[in-house]
Amino acid sequence: MDVHVTLSGRGDLTAQIYRQLLEGVLDGRLRSGERLPPTRELARRLAVSRNTVAVAYDRLVADGFLVGRAGAGTYVSAEPVRGRAAPKGVVRPRAVWESITGPSGTARPDGSNMQAYDFRVGVPDAELFPMESWRRLVSRELRRGVGGYGDPSGHEGLREAIARHIGVSRSVHAGAGDVLITNGAQQALDLVGRVLIEPGACVAVEEPGYPPARLLFRSLGARVVGVPVDGEGLDVSAIPGAARLVYVTPSHQFPLGTPMSLARRAALLAWAERRNAVVIEDDYDSEFRFGDRPLEPLQSLDRAGRVIYVGSFSKTLLPMLRLGFLVAPASLGPALTAAKRISDWHGELPTQAALARFIDEGLLARHIRKATRVYAARHALIADTLSGEDRLRLVPSAAGLHLCARLAPGVAVRPRPGLGVERLDAYCGEIPAQRGLVIGYGAIGQSAIPGGLELLRKSLIMPATPEPPRPLT
């Protein structure tokens, strides 16, 4: 392996080599069993005599950190060496980061792990994904061997394919030049925030709503205010007058699931026009619809260029692909592209090119049709099973990958081993938090749902009725 050693001055060069190799072993950078370069080779690279390196090696062998094998070379000792912890340091992050933590890996917002009955929210069924077709398309792009940097806006063919797809499926008015490819919806929100949010600015979000968006805007220095959501969606009359950016999920409110009424959509656009504000429309899983006629997106109703439309393939395909996009008014396009460039320049172009072909060959539309049938059956099974449950009140929903149910007054939820279900209060930023459950059905198969719902029923408890006071004797 290539070992980095730096020599300075004319002092004891053997001691310098010894110390730096020892630090590498203690730090864990040189792991047990790894082979060090031959003394002749390292001496040549360091421009020192071979004996200078050999003495350092011999000292490390004598101390038990290296072991010499006749005819094979010198290796780091097979005995486990405890790596030294990095210094804790005294530098502190900005105050806002003291209160922002994020779940890792596949953890849910409450930080718990996956369970046998996995009702996680926002996770599609990976078994539905046409992996063989995807592998063929990705392999084709990798064989092309195209290198170099690309357009920060993303692969041109993918931008064209997305513009056609959302134009047909969602009535979004956009050309390829209006589309910017991102690493998921979260990066789209980050780019918008970088371009539009001034420190201390007021940003309005739904309450309850999507926690990562709320945390992202806070991290950028915004004052985030929750706006109540009712049966028609965001209560426009409750938006703070100081807000200049409003984040909404109008097609399938997250997490309640209710769509924003046409009247509320019109009112929100009118409000944005009066207040010189911008609306972020997050259309995260509206492809999966089970009955109701879809309402027009805010973007297609917008005549003043105040709506930024954000989409993602994390729900329709797989989260690991990290593919999303935004459609912005032309006045914001150059700034958003520049923000993308200075953020990470561009995404993975072979993956983007593969997705372009995936869309153009009709595979995305076919996959959505198949997945919609599967998710519709799971949605119906959960809704039918819980419809007679007095302790829960389902929130009407006809789309997406989850259902929300409010808890009846006095009902509590007792955690059950094997049951992975999320609480509504995990999506609330205001106090007091709303009480309920958010039940996902992307990660759980149809056959497991009945058993999971039975366990869910057993987790719902009424608090013990207090004994009446005893009369004094």
Side-chain angles (χ1 to χ4, degrees):
M1 65 179 301
D2 188 11
V3 177
H4 179 77
V5 175
T6 302
L7 300 180
S8 60
R10 296 176 176 271
D12 189 342
L13 301 182
T14 294
Q16 293 185 45
I17 297 171
Y18 172 87
R19 186 185 69 254
Q20 293 181 48
L21 292 178
L22 175 61
E23 289 177 350
V25 174
L26 294 176
D27 288 342
R29 289 177 284 123
L30 295 174
R31 296 177 297 178
S32 298
E34 288 186 329
R35 184 176 185 269
L36 270 65
T39 55
R40 188 187 306 277
E41 177 185 330
L42 184 57
R44 179 182 54 80
R45 294 209 316 258
L46 298 177
V48 298
S49 71
R50 181 183 179 187
N51 186 62
T52 299
V53 176
V55 171
Y57 275 27
D58 289 343
R59 286 178 59 188
L60 289 166
V61 170
D63 292 342
F65 294 103
L66 300 183
V67 59
R69 299 176 186 172
T74 306
Y75 295 79
V76 178
S77 173
E79 293 296 323
V81 177
R82 185 183 301 274
R84 294 187 298 182
K88 293 183 178 180
V90 296
V91 182
R92 307 301 302 171
R94 287 189 294 122
V96 67
W97 289 102
E98 299 289 349
S99 61
I100 293 178
T101 58
S104 60
T106 55
R108 298 187 296 275
D110 62 2
S112 54
N113 298 320
M114 292 181 289
Q115 305 286 350
Y117 295 109
D118 191 358
F119 290 106
R120 278 180 301 160
V121 174
V123 180
D125 190 339
E127 294 185 1
L128 300 178
F129 183 69
M131 187 60 73
E132 288 304 317
S133 297
W134 180 254
R135 185 179 292 112
R136 169 179 60 84
L137 295 173
V138 172
S139 298
R140 175 177 177 177
E141 295 303 326
L142 292 175
R143 285 196 299 269
R144 290 163 57 91
V146 178
Y149 292 105
D151 186 343
S153 297
H155 186 273
E156 183 177 2
L158 179 57
R159 287 185 283 133
E160 293 174 350
I162 288 175
R164 290 192 301 271
H165 171 68
I166 61 179
V168 172
S169 64
R170 297 293 294 125
S171 296
V172 172
H173 304 305
D178 303 312
V179 177
L180 189 152
I181 308 301
T182 63
N183 297 323
Q186 193 70 9
Q187 188 187 42
L189 301 181
D190 182 58
L191 296 177
V192 173
R194 290 168 183 258
V195 168
L196 293 178
I197 294 177
E198 297 280 358
C202 179
V203 174
V205 300
E206 297 168 318
E207 174 63 20
Y210 184 51
R214 184 187 300 115
L215 295 176
L216 172 62
F217 298 141
R218 281 186 56 208
S219 76
L220 295 173
R223 178 170 62 90
V224 181
V225 179
V227 179
V229 175
D230 58 24
E232 291 190 71
L234 186 80
D235 183 356
V236 178
S237 65
I239 301 176
R244 292 296 175 267
L245 185 65
V246 182
Y247 169 80
V248 291
T249 52
S251 295
H252 185 231
Q253 200 280 330
F254 189 87
L256 298 180
T258 53
M260 182 182 289
S261 68
L262 185 58
R264 288 282 176 86
R265 294 173 189 237
L268 178 57
L269 292 175
W271 180 92
E273 179 72 10
R274 291 194 308 271
R275 297 288 183 173
N276 190 29
V278 176
V279 177
I280 302 177
E281 177 179 17
D282 188 349
D283 202 10
Y284 64 99
D285 70 353
S286 64
E287 292 89 349
F288 305 124
R289 301 204 64 86
F290 315 133
D292 291 352
R293 181 179 301 174
L295 294 171
E296 289 292 302
L298 288 168
Q299 195 272 352
S300 65
L301 299 172
D302 178 27
R303 297 295 180 266
R306 296 192 173 277
V307 175
I308 300 175
Y309 182 90
V310 172
S312 170
F313 294 97
S314 294
K315 309 298 184 293
T316 50
L317 299 179
L318 292 175
M320 70 174 185
L321 298 180
R322 305 311 305 141
L323 284 168
F325 63 93
L326 62 81
V327 176
S331 58
L332 292 176
L336 288 167
T337 302
K340 172 66 175 174
R341 180 177 62 83
I342 65 174
S343 174
D344 68 349
W345 199 290
H346 60 75
E348 296 185 5
L349 297 180
T351 303
Q352 294 181 16
L355 180 56
R357 292 189 176 276
F358 190 81
I359 296 173
D360 290 341
E361 293 182 10
L363 296 173
L364 176 62
R366 184 187 309 167
H367 171 66
I368 290 175
R369 288 194 298 269
K370 174 185 176 181
T372 299
R373 292 192 296 269
V374 173
Y375 295 143
R378 298 179 188 178
H379 177 281
L381 177 57
I382 295 173
D384 292 344
T385 302
L386 297 181
S387 61
E389 177 55 66
D390 295 335
R391 294 167 293 180
L392 290 174
R393 186 176 73 255
L394 286 176
V395 179
S397 174
L401 292 173
H402 71 270
L403 279 163
C404 184
R406 295 189 182 276
L407 291 170
V411 175
V413 180
R414 175 182 297 165
R416 292 271 183 170
L419 178 63
V421 65
E422 299 178 18
R423 299 169 64 99
L424 180 57
D425 55 17
Y427 298 92
C428 296
E430 305 295 317
I431 298 174
Q434 300 181 36
R435 301 175 66 253
L437 298 173
V438 188
I439 307 168
Y441 44 81
I444 186 169
Q446 183 90 357
S447 61
I449 289 176
L453 294 181
E454 181 61 29
L455 192 57
L456 173 61
R457 277 194 167 118
K458 294 178 180 178
S459 72
L460 303 175
I461 59 172
M462 297 291 291
T465 303
E467 295 183 8
R470 298 181 180 179
L472 295 175
T473 57

